[in-house]
Amino acid sequence: MAILRSKEIWEMEIEDIQKKLTELKAELAKNISKSSAAGVNENPGKIRELKRTIARVLTIMNQKQKEN
């Protein structure tokens, strides 16, 4: 999954943002379980980037809700 940028998230509707958030959380859980089971992660920066993207999505979603 491509990492979302702030501009892309701002252009989305709240419902779309929530769907994307569930997808990102599922992908993060999958990557964490894969790395803990295997011991060696093929892309160690992916988990960090997913966490940052989730935080970015949550922040923008909260800002959008406060505006309304």
Side-chain angles (χ1 to χ4, degrees):
M1 171 176 288
I3 301 303
L4 295 172
R5 301 292 172 215
S6 296
K7 185 177 179 181
E8 296 170 350
I9 301 169
W10 275 107
E11 294 171 353
M12 298 169 80
E13 295 295 324
I14 295 286
E15 296 81 22
D16 297 333
I17 294 173
Q18 289 173 342
K19 288 178 188 175
K20 190 60 76 172
L21 182 62
T22 56
E23 290 174 11
L24 288 168
K25 285 184 178 182
E27 185 176 353
L28 177 64
K30 184 179 76 170
N31 281 337
I32 289 175
S33 65
K34 187 192 302 185
S35 68
S36 66
V40 177
N41 195 0
E42 71 256 2
N43 190 357
K46 183 74 171 170
I47 293 174
R48 181 178 182 190
E49 192 62 37
L50 281 170
K51 287 181 180 180
R52 286 184 173 184
T53 304
I54 290 171
R56 186 179 302 123
V57 167
L58 288 172
T59 301
I60 292 174
M61 193 166 70
N62 286 332
Q63 289 175 349
K64 280 185 145 196
Q65 288 175 345
K66 286 182 181 178
E67 286 178 358
N68 293 334

